[in-house]
Amino acid sequence: MTGLQLEHVSKFYEEGGHKIAALQDVSLSVEQGEFVAVIGPSGSGKSTFLSIAGALLQASAGTVSLNGKDLSGLNAKELANVRLKDIGFILQTSNLVPYLTVLDQLLVVKKMAGKITKEDKAFAKSLLTDLGLGSKMSKFPNELSGGERQRTAIARAFMNQPNIILADEPTASLDSKRGHEVVQLIAKEVKSRKKAAIMVTHDERMLQYCDKVYRMEDGQLSLVSI
Ligand code: ADP
């Protein structure tokens, strides 16, 4: 089975002797080529959900599998490897390294996973060109607009050709036009390269680009629309 599957996932936090259920019996399957949105109020469990789906946090109960591989049996090093190789994260702010050029922001990902080949460089350049950054490759983050920075972060998320894309409010720091552009680009990559993608968003206007919309409320996930 490819893609990402969560089955009966719960997450409990202990706080001051109280047990908080941040996620309660959440099940979800995202196939390759599918773009799913998760909406819901603040405090409903969206970040916890994305952290568990992204192998950053272990579930208290239930199973998470990625391309058929159960994550619960993996140790910290193996989980770090899954995050590096199989998952591309796109966060609210672009989190670029200030002293690296646009091209190097992508190549440094390869460096972490091994060493940089000629093919890696060519792939980085083609990704940046696809994302409209062909003329910005030697610029530094402070020379880019907010939208360009976020597109660089998207290119970086795709650099290791991960199967799974997890986006946490990717439009939060962008104006409406740039926001649409960024989510359209994610949708295009999901379709053309057959990624499984989940986007947490507050922005209802972005739901038109998604195949399914789920709502998180009090730690429970329900399907809103297909
Ligand atoms: P959202 O992303 O939708 O705002 P979160 O996943 O951050 O929701 O939080 C879900 C619930 O879990 C909230 O009640 C929050 O206070 C609680 N929570 C989140 N992280 C922790 C933590 N590390 N320790 C204790 N409680 C937490």
Side-chain angles (χ1 to χ4, degrees):
M1 188 123 182
T2 56
L4 176 72
Q5 279 82 35
L6 277 78
E7 284 175 59
H8 305 293
V9 168
S10 295
K11 178 70 183 176
F12 306 106
Y13 292 112
E14 288 278 337
E15 211 177 54
H18 293 284
K19 200 169 165 186
I20 299 168
L23 291 183
Q24 300 187 62
D25 198 15
V26 167
S27 295
L28 171 82
S29 178
V30 188
E31 302 302 323
Q32 303 298 140
E34 196 174 28
F35 190 15
V36 160
V38 176
I39 55 171
S42 178
S44 60
K46 303 183 302 298
S47 306
T48 302
F49 164 76
L50 215 57
S51 301
I52 289 176
L56 287 162
L57 200 63
Q58 296 268 26
S60 308
T63 56
V64 180
S65 40
L66 208 152
N67 294 327
K69 184 165 65 179
D70 185 355
L71 296 188
S72 56
L74 303 185
N75 63 31
K77 196 173 171 206
E78 290 165 332
L79 287 173
N81 215 20
V82 166
R83 287 196 295 273
L84 190 60
K85 299 240 166 91
D86 297 326
I87 301 171
F89 290 96
I90 302 167
L91 304 171
Q92 284 183 26
T93 53
S94 52
N95 289 313
L96 300 177
V97 183
Y99 52 83
L100 292 181
T101 64
V102 165
L103 182 60
D104 285 342
Q105 307 280 343
L106 273 62
L107 295 177
V108 78
V109 174
K110 276 286 160 194
K111 207 165 184 179
M112 284 195 284
K115 68 183 205 25
I116 302 163
T117 64
K118 236 189 222 164
E119 289 75 28
D120 293 335
K121 234 178 201 172
F123 182 64
K125 287 181 179 173
S126 75
L127 266 179
L128 290 169
T129 305
D130 281 357
L131 290 165
L133 294 164
S135 63
K136 305 284 179 184
M137 292 191 204
S138 56
K139 299 282 183 205
F140 290 92
N142 67 0
E143 299 174 293
L144 303 175
S145 70
E148 288 164 349
R149 280 200 285 271
Q150 196 58 318
R151 279 186 274 149
T152 305
I154 291 173
R156 182 181 58 185
F158 286 116
M159 188 59 202
N160 273 341
Q161 298 182 260
N163 296 309
I164 316 288
I165 299 295
L166 300 176
D168 188 6
E169 300 203 34
T171 62
S173 61
L174 303 176
D175 64 40
S176 166
K177 181 168 174 278
R178 300 285 175 227
H180 280 278
E181 276 175 17
V182 156
V183 178
Q184 277 172 328
L185 287 168
I186 298 173
K188 190 173 145 230
E189 287 289 323
V190 168
K191 297 298 164 195
S192 64
R193 295 185 214 260
K194 295 273 174 271
K195 311 287 185 190
I198 303 177
M199 172 174 68
V200 165
T201 184
H202 273 113
D203 197 339
E204 304 256 334
R205 292 165 306 182
M206 301 305 157
L207 303 181
Q208 59 181 302
Y209 304 112
C210 299
D211 301 306
K212 287 181 188 164
V213 181
Y214 290 85
R215 182 175 177 80
M216 186 73 81
E217 207 149 8
D218 295 330
Q220 290 178 313
L221 194 69
S222 53
L223 185 61
V224 179
S225 70
I226 299 183

